[in-house]
């Protein structure tokens, strides 16, 4: 399919803990997007260390456990091995075309491999990139959150205004009287870039403040001039719109780029835990930066690691947003 062919030219693999690795070919980031009935992870490279062996990756001191034990909610980001997008508990019978039809009742959707052709236009494709169940806008009703990918390069300004702009957006659904109703549409990433080049998916649902209303952690992957970047965004419903509570760049890999002053890749893991016992989860991000030597042409030699450095950031809830807590951070060694 044309969409899949374009995907191979836009995205290099990313695995949303985020893991970067090196192999004989330049390592790639890998991200997992879920389309209805199909998961499409990209290959993740492995690291082959050249002799002599390097010192072991430095370790970080463990986070003390919460005084009140609770079920672990950590999800690797990006995953070291492909993980599925969280599956619905009450919406296992969801049909992707039914969701799209609820969003756009006057459009025609025709299955085309793992996506849907819109109004028989081969250049206009939509698909469900990810979905997860929770209570996002209401405390008493289960809802389905979905990332809708709209790859529509030929849309006019009027069509984009009426339906959706090019790119990915968030939709919240409820099922009432066995019919799907759209509760909210949120255009959180107004990039005007094809979802093949800027990919978004729901990494997890969390309730960091334990108030019964869930927040959404959304991961993104983009590539520019051979540099792949993975980021995370935490959103919460404030009664009128989804507002950002936190965002951070999690991983980066420039080993496929040209003319870089230094070549490196960053592995990353993110988790939520109440480490100070105040009843509110903190966000802990552990990273490892891997530096590479240059080859005879001045490009990244991914067979030769020069060093690895581990570091940690911890973000605490300030009452309005998550802010960096320097007292719990472990800086990267010089």
């Amino acid at each position: 399919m044309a969409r899949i062919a374009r995907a191979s030219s836009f995205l290099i693999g990313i695995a949303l803990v985020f893991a970067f690795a090196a192999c004989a070919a330049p390592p790639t980031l890998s991200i997992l997007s879920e389309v209805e009935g199909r998961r499409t992870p990209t290959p993740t490279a492995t690291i082959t260390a050249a002799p002599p062996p390097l010192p072991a990756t430095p370790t970080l001191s463990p986070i003390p456990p919460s005084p009140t034990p609770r079920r672990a909610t950590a999800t690797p980001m990006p995953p070291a091995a492909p993980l599925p997008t969280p599956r619905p508990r009450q919406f296992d019978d969801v049909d992707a075309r039914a969701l799209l039809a609820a969003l756009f009742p006057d459009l025609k959707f025709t299955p085309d491999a793992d996506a849907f052709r819109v109004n028989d236009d081969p250049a206009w494709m939509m698909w469900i990139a990810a979905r997860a169940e929770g209570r996002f806008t209401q405390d008493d009703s289960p809802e389905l959150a979905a990332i809708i990918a709209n790859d529509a390069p030929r849309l006019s300004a009027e069509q984009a205004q009426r339906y959706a702009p090019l790119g990915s957006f968030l939709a919240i659904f409820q099922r009432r009287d066995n019919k799907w109703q759209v509760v909210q549409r949120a255009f959180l990433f107004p990039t005007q870039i094809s979802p093949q080049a800027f990919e978004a998916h729901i990494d997890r649902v969390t309730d960091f403040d334990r108030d019964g209303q869930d927040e959404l952690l959304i991961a993104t992957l983009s590539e520019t001039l051979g540099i792949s970047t993975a980021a995370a965004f935490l959103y919460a419903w404030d009664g009128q719109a989804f507002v950002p509570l936190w965002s951070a760049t999690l991983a980066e890999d420039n080993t496929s780029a040209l003319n870089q002053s230094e070549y490196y890749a960053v592995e990353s893991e993110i988790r939520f835990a109440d480490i100070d016992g105040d009843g509110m989860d903190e966000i802990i991000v552990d990273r490892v930066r891997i530096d590479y030597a240059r080859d005879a042409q001045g490009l990244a030699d991914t067979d030769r690691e020069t060093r690895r450095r581990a570091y940690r950031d911890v973000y605490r809830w300030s009452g309005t947003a998550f802010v960096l807590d320097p007292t719990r951070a472990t800086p990267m060694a010089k």
Side-chain angles (χ1 to χ4, degrees):
M1 189 189 71
R3 187 183 74 78
I4 298 177
R6 290 195 300 273
S8 64
S9 66
F10 279 109
L11 293 178
I12 66 176
I14 180 167
L16 225 265
V17 167
F18 269 101
F20 293 89
C23 62
T28 59
L29 291 169
S30 155
I31 196 166
L32 178 65
S33 64
E34 178 177 337
V35 182
E36 181 73 13
R38 178 174 177 181
R39 291 168 45 221
T40 58
T42 56
T44 301
T46 58
I47 295 177
T48 303
L54 292 169
T57 301
T59 58
L60 296 171
S61 58
I63 291 289
S66 169
T68 304
R70 60 191 297 259
R71 184 176 60 85
T73 58
T75 300
M77 184 180 198
L83 292 176
T85 300
R87 295 293 299 172
R89 295 182 297 275
Q90 298 186 29
F91 300 110
D92 283 333
D93 59 344
V94 173
D95 177 74
R97 180 155 50 179
L99 296 179
L100 294 175
L103 276 166
F104 309 111
D106 57 338
L107 295 180
K108 176 185 177 182
F109 296 99
T110 304
D112 189 338
D114 57 356
F116 294 89
R117 188 170 62 253
V118 183
N119 288 349
D120 294 322
D121 184 348
W124 188 0
M125 307 296 292
M126 284 191 191
W127 63 95
I128 308 295
R131 60 182 186 174
E133 181 189 344
R135 285 173 168 81
F136 308 106
T137 68
Q138 299 183 31
D139 295 342
D140 58 348
S141 299
E143 296 172 317
L144 184 67
I147 297 290
I148 313 298
N150 182 34
D151 196 6
R154 295 182 182 175
L155 281 187
S156 66
E158 181 181 353
Q159 287 176 310
Q161 178 78 19
R162 180 178 179 183
Y163 299 114
L166 173 70
S168 299
F169 64 93
L170 173 69
I172 306 295
F173 299 89
Q174 287 184 356
R175 183 158 49 189
R176 298 170 182 166
D177 299 326
N178 209 31
K179 294 182 179 179
W180 287 105
Q181 295 187 5
V182 181
V183 177
Q184 179 64 217
R185 278 198 294 174
F187 298 97
L188 304 177
F189 307 105
T191 60
Q192 291 294 303
I193 299 175
S194 166
Q196 307 288 356
F198 183 90
E199 185 174 340
H201 79 276
I202 300 171
D203 181 81
R204 79 193 74 167
V205 173
T206 185
D207 181 9
F208 79 92
D209 54 2
R210 303 167 204 181
D211 64 350
Q213 188 162 309
D214 294 315
E215 293 79 46
L216 279 165
L217 187 68
I218 296 178
T220 65
L221 169 66
S222 60
E223 181 193 354
T224 304
L225 299 176
I227 301 176
S228 297
T229 304
F233 302 82
L234 184 65
Y235 287 96
W237 179 255
D238 71 352
Q240 295 182 324
F242 282 95
V243 297
L245 303 181
W246 172 79
S247 65
T249 298
L250 294 182
E252 190 172 63
D253 185 335
N254 72 347
T255 56
S256 296
L258 303 176
N259 302 320
Q260 300 295 299
S261 59
E262 53 186 355
Y263 286 101
Y264 62 89
V266 178
E267 298 175 355
S268 179
E269 177 181 354
I270 181 174
R271 55 198 172 98
F272 291 79
D274 181 6
I275 60 178
D276 57 10
D278 66 350
M280 309 283 277
D281 283 349
E282 283 73 45
I283 302 176
I284 302 103
V285 182
D286 287 329
R287 299 181 179 90
V288 175
R289 170 172 163 143
I290 308 168
D291 294 325
Y292 296 98
R294 292 173 177 270
D295 61 17
Q297 288 74 42
L299 303 176
D301 185 346
T302 55
D303 289 329
R304 289 194 298 151
E305 296 181 18
T306 58
R307 61 177 173 174
R308 290 186 172 216
R309 291 171 287 173
Y311 56 109
R312 170 181 291 158
D313 288 329
V314 176
Y315 301 85
R316 59 176 175 80
W317 179 245
S318 70
T320 56
F322 281 94
V323 297
L324 187 65
D325 184 352
T327 65
R328 298 181 183 274
T330 304
M332 183 173 62
K334 299 291 186 180

